[in-house]
Amino acid sequence: MFLSRIDRHNFLLLLCFSQLLFLLILYRRGAAGVFQGLFGGSDPPWDYSKTQDVYTNLSLFVPDPENVNTQYCPAKSPILVGPLSVSFQTTPSLKKVQQKNRHVKPGGYFSPRHCFGRYRTAIIIPHRNRESHLRTLLYYLHPFLQRQQLHYAVFVVHQAGNSTFNRAKLLNIGVREALKLDDWDCLVLHDVDLVPENDYNMYICDEEYPKHLASAMDKFDYSLPYWKYFGGVSALTPDQYMRINGLPNNYWGWGGEDDDIAMRIRLVGMSITRNPLSLGRYKMISHSRDSGNEENSRRYDQLGNTRRTWREDGMNSLDFKLISRTRAPLYTNITADIGDPPLVTEAPARWKLF
């Protein structure tokens, strides 16, 4: 009996250790990577030491005026190569990006010229004072999307004035304006300083759940920083976006809005689907913290109230003044006055939710 008690004690310790180990693996790798490793999957073992130029083979798409109106593009593009060469040593000029992307129409619109694009994707980029980053992203993003045979457009949402930056509110504005112009299948929310490294990372939505595309950034050693992370680049259908009431409008400065979005997704009964770490790789353009985008000291208080506020703070409360919407050669530029952050009269709490 004494030995059986010892065995039971050891068994419980082993069980607790196993559970802790599994949670640690989930934290570092994400469920997608863990379960794919356990049960297999279609994601091949990518070799990122062997990369291809993002403009490789684009000339193989020969225009076909008949097919473009009668035949859908294949679900899988025939010219995808996998890992791509990404370098930030020099910043391309807009003229160079235009020359490399002659078939992109004003406003950043593109449709395949040899078949009918079966997916319609709007890329929405919040922006202020990041012109060099924007040029670099456009240099890589346009051919990346063309390789995937998407019908797409790029929307850059510029915050006017010098008030504190509000990324989430700018994304709400971009979604509202983009939906006025086309019937999009997918909305990709894209930070201006992140460049994808694999063209099999399809910029299309999961029909059931919001999708986190940037699951493995070099900034985080190509691992997921924490299990609930939903930042960087993500994809939602318009219906999913409206179900969560869009993004919060009251996160001024850096931090918090991504966790608020993840919480909204859970509160409406959805889950987050995520790219495997070997596929969702992105390189971040290094930079210092922007002036006017200081850390949001109220974010933990705000996250603590999300369950109570998400239904009233979002697309249904979006307030801004549209200054201009113009079609630049490589993107649609949306400039908006989003007002100023409210005055904070109380000191923020010190506790942390995540």
Side-chain angles (χ1 to χ4, degrees):
M1 181 179 296
F2 177 72
L3 289 176
S4 65
R5 288 179 179 175
I6 294 178
D7 291 342
R8 186 182 306 167
H9 179 71
N10 290 338
F11 174 76
L12 291 175
L13 286 176
L14 180 62
L15 181 62
C16 291
F17 176 77
S18 300
Q19 290 176 335
L20 288 173
L21 180 62
F22 183 71
L23 289 174
L24 178 63
I25 295 172
L26 279 178
Y27 175 83
R28 296 300 298 172
R29 296 186 58 195
V34 171
F35 289 111
Q36 186 184 38
L38 290 174
F39 304 113
S42 59
D43 188 37
W46 301 110
D47 184 356
Y48 284 90
S49 68
K50 300 176 181 178
T51 58
Q52 299 284 339
D53 187 273
V54 71
Y55 288 91
T56 299
N57 293 339
L58 281 181
S59 60
L60 295 179
F61 287 146
V62 179
D64 190 327
E66 183 176 346
N67 275 0
V68 79
N69 294 316
T70 61
Q71 184 173 328
Y72 277 107
C73 298
K76 179 182 177 182
S77 170
I79 69 163
L80 299 180
V81 296
L84 302 170
S85 302
V86 177
S87 173
F88 303 140
Q89 290 183 354
T90 59
T91 301
S93 65
L94 279 178
K95 182 178 180 180
K96 179 179 180 179
V97 182
Q98 286 178 248
Q99 290 174 341
K100 300 282 283 185
N101 295 277
R102 296 181 183 277
H103 303 298
V104 174
K105 298 177 181 178
Y109 281 79
F110 177 85
S111 293
R113 299 183 302 141
H114 60 288
C115 55
F116 187 80
R118 64 174 65 229
Y119 302 111
R120 309 174 73 84
T121 297
I123 314 295
I124 301 169
I125 305 169
H127 176 265
R128 187 174 67 179
N129 300 329
R130 293 279 197 91
E131 280 69 26
S132 64
H133 295 175
L134 179 60
R135 294 198 302 272
T136 298
L137 175 60
L138 294 173
Y139 177 85
Y140 287 102
L141 191 59
H142 274 299
F144 174 89
L145 298 169
Q146 292 168 41
R147 302 177 69 78
Q148 298 182 357
Q149 299 180 314
L150 304 179
H151 169 84
Y152 72 86
V154 176
F155 298 89
V156 176
V157 192
H158 179 77
Q159 179 175 332
N162 298 314
S163 63
T164 305
F165 193 66
N166 190 324
R167 172 180 176 269
K169 191 170 185 178
L170 292 175
L171 288 168
N172 278 342
I173 294 169
V175 168
R176 175 166 291 182
E177 295 302 310
L179 290 176
K180 292 178 181 178
L181 302 176
D182 209 331
D183 185 19
W184 302 107
D185 299 316
C186 189
L187 307 167
V188 174
L189 316 180
H190 208 300
D191 281 356
V192 72
D193 55 4
L194 289 175
V195 176
E197 296 184 55
N198 191 318
D199 60 7
Y200 276 82
N201 178 4
M202 296 296 295
Y203 274 34
I204 59 178
C205 283
D206 183 282
E207 294 184 2
E208 188 171 2
Y209 297 129
K211 183 178 181 181
H212 186 217
L213 299 175
S215 56
M217 303 179 198
D218 63 345
K219 173 184 177 180
F220 301 125
D221 296 324
Y222 294 112
S223 63
L224 198 65
Y226 52 92
W227 172 233
K228 298 174 184 177
Y229 185 66
F230 196 64
V233 186
S234 53
L236 300 89
T237 67
D239 178 68
Q240 292 165 359
Y241 200 87
M242 297 306 170
R243 281 182 64 187
I244 64 171
N245 193 21
L247 278 56
N249 296 310
N250 61 352
Y251 281 77
W252 298 85
W254 181 88
E257 74 278 2
D258 292 326
D259 294 325
D260 191 294
I261 301 165
M263 192 178 300
R264 288 169 182 243
I265 292 170
R266 296 194 302 274
L267 288 172
V268 300
M270 293 191 292
S271 300
I272 294 172
T273 184
R274 205 183 301 277
N275 270 337
L277 298 185
S278 60
L279 180 63
R281 288 171 59 113
Y282 286 76
K283 284 189 177 180
M284 176 176 283
I285 306 171
S286 61
H287 59 90
S288 56
R289 184 70 55 79
D290 303 319
S291 175
N293 192 29
E294 290 76 18
E295 185 175 298
N296 176 10
S297 60
R298 300 180 58 241
R299 64 188 184 279
Y300 299 116
D301 284 339
Q302 291 174 295
L303 286 168
N305 292 323
T306 299
R307 186 179 296 272
R308 178 176 57 83
T309 60
W310 74 271
R311 290 184 177 88
E312 289 77 38
D313 178 23
M315 290 296 283
N316 61 358
S317 63
L318 182 59
D319 180 36
F320 67 98
K321 179 182 179 182
L322 181 64
I323 296 176
S324 66
R325 187 178 65 210
T326 57
R327 290 195 171 193
L330 296 166
Y331 56 91
T332 296
N333 187 79
I334 299 167
T335 301
D337 180 355
I338 65 173
D340 298 305
L343 295 175
V344 179
T345 57
E346 298 179 1
R350 295 293 181 181
W351 63 276
K352 293 189 176 183
L353 185 63
F354 298 100

